[in-house]
Amino acid sequence: MKNISAGGAMERLKKLIPAGVQPKFSTADEWRKWQTEEGLKRAAEVDKLNQTARAEKILGRSGIQSLHQNCTFKNYEVKNDGQRHALSLAKSYAMNFGNGFTSFVFSGSPGTGKNHLAAAIGNYLLARDSTVLIVTVADLMLRVRACYDGGQSEASLLDELCRVDLLVLDEVGIQKDSKHEKIIINQIIDRRLASMRPVGILTNLNFDELAATLGERVVDRLKMDSGMWVNFAWESYRNKVTHLRLVK
Ligand SMILES: Nc1ncnc2c1ncn2[C@@H]1O[C@H](COP(=O)(O)OP(=O)(O)OP(=O)(O)O)[C@@H](O)[C@H]1O
Ligand SMILES: [Mg+2]
């Protein structure tokens, strides 16, 4: 009977390889191993593409709002020690992403650059093929409500939100006393931390206010795996821009 094993195929393949080209494999076993590895690589690429598409599908937009798509560590101006500290923590967060699942909270007054540095982290990670979603709690709640209206399950939305590599919840605590909001945020944080995926929180609330809004338990959980709390306590950058315009 004719030999149609991989060994035979290997011999035929070798005949097709032009002289001077060194094949990546010289035995049928090496060839099979190479095929398996290539297959795995391709599957990982497809998976990443699907993840990015999914992240974009959740909100009908890219993971970072266009307003903050140009925010980087480089264009974050440092004028005081607080900003220097915040920039250095944000940078090291991005560079160490994937080692552990550290969460972060950027807390402080308006216009101090919380979104800027969160977007800088996000843009850094997106450029390295991680999936990132920065969403305000208000937008998130709109999505949750749209799920109810569209007959889609809230669980599938939460599933999607829990799959992205980094989820940043923005403007946490703006709507006070919303029980539903508290439950949804708690669920998201619980589920992400349980599957070892970090959460970022951007808020105007201080530690006690955030704990009162979300509950002690969830704030405690954010501290797991050396979670990072950064206070943004300096003048608004927005005031500065207005001031510059007035001077001109
Ligand atoms: N240190 C900085 N260097 C350069 N640009 C900055 C700096 N701080 C803030 N900005 C810019 O100022 C604007 C407001 O900053 P940002 O949106 O990050 O504020 P925020 O802390 O998220 O405020 P809010 O609490 O109101 O949401 C953005 O366009 C941001 O890029
Ligand atoms: Mg903001």
Side-chain angles (χ1 to χ4, degrees):
M1 205 208 265
K2 208 176 166 203
N3 180 7
I4 51 163
S5 70
M10 183 68 209
E11 286 315 309
R12 286 199 297 280
L13 204 67
K14 270 184 183 166
K15 281 185 199 143
L16 297 174
I17 298 173
V21 172
Q22 186 61 41
K24 287 187 181 187
F25 32 80
S26 50
T27 66
D29 274 350
E30 276 178 32
W31 176 41
R32 270 191 218 101
K33 196 168 158 249
W34 178 80
Q35 272 195 321
T36 311
E37 279 165 8
E38 286 301 302
L40 286 175
K41 264 192 240 163
R42 211 144 314 131
E45 277 164 25
V46 169
D47 203 42
K48 265 296 162 209
L49 280 176
N50 284 344
Q51 269 194 42
T52 310
R54 220 186 277 136
E56 297 187 354
K57 213 180 77 193
I58 301 172
L59 300 171
R61 60 154 169 91
S62 63
I64 295 180
Q65 291 277 40
S66 38
L67 179 67
H68 294 116
Q69 272 170 10
N70 295 324
C71 293
T72 61
F73 298 123
K74 269 208 175 120
N75 62 22
Y76 185 75
E77 283 174 35
V78 168
K79 294 274 171 294
N80 58 53
D81 286 346
Q83 287 173 327
R84 189 167 301 114
H85 185 59
L87 173 64
S88 129
L89 287 176
K91 258 191 195 167
S92 81
Y93 184 86
M95 276 149 208
N96 292 311
F97 192 79
N99 304 326
F101 56 104
T102 311
S103 292
F104 66 84
V105 180
F106 291 169
S107 149
S109 38
T112 47
K114 300 181 293 298
N115 269 93
H116 188 115
L117 285 183
I121 293 173
N123 286 322
Y124 180 94
L125 297 178
L126 283 171
R128 283 154 188 83
D129 290 336
S130 290
T131 49
V132 179
L133 208 55
I134 304 182
V135 59
T136 64
V137 172
D139 273 353
L140 182 68
M141 295 312 289
L142 274 179
R143 279 283 137 185
V144 171
R145 257 166 251 140
C147 274
Y148 293 140
D149 297 345
Q152 210 193 329
S153 85
E154 181 186 303
S156 69
L157 173 69
L158 295 190
D159 278 351
E160 303 288 4
L161 288 170
C162 290
R163 268 194 211 121
V164 292
D165 296 323
L166 176 64
L167 175 72
V168 180
L169 299 175
D170 187 15
E171 298 183 359
V172 174
I174 293 240
Q175 269 177 280
K176 292 259 164 75
D177 303 324
S178 164
K179 248 196 193 151
H180 190 206
E181 194 173 300
K182 182 177 164 180
I183 293 169
I184 296 286
I185 296 177
N186 268 268
Q187 273 179 1
I188 292 173
I189 294 177
D190 269 351
R191 288 191 45 179
R192 287 190 60 87
L193 298 188
S195 56
M196 302 206 288
R197 291 182 197 277
V199 181
I201 303 261
L202 311 182
T203 183
N204 295 140
L205 305 180
N206 64 28
F207 185 89
D208 291 342
E209 289 164 339
L210 190 70
T213 304
L214 297 183
E216 294 272 356
R217 202 184 128 269
V218 78
V219 179
D220 256 6
R221 296 214 65 190
L222 288 172
K223 287 195 270 179
M224 272 169 46
D225 198 42
S226 51
M228 201 167 86
W229 183 287
V230 189
N231 283 320
F232 285 59
W234 45 86
E235 200 202 337
S236 167
Y237 193 85
R238 295 191 187 107
N239 295 346
K240 188 182 147 191
V241 173
T242 320
H243 175 68
L244 285 177
R245 281 205 196 108
L246 285 175
V247 171
K248 272 184 192 168

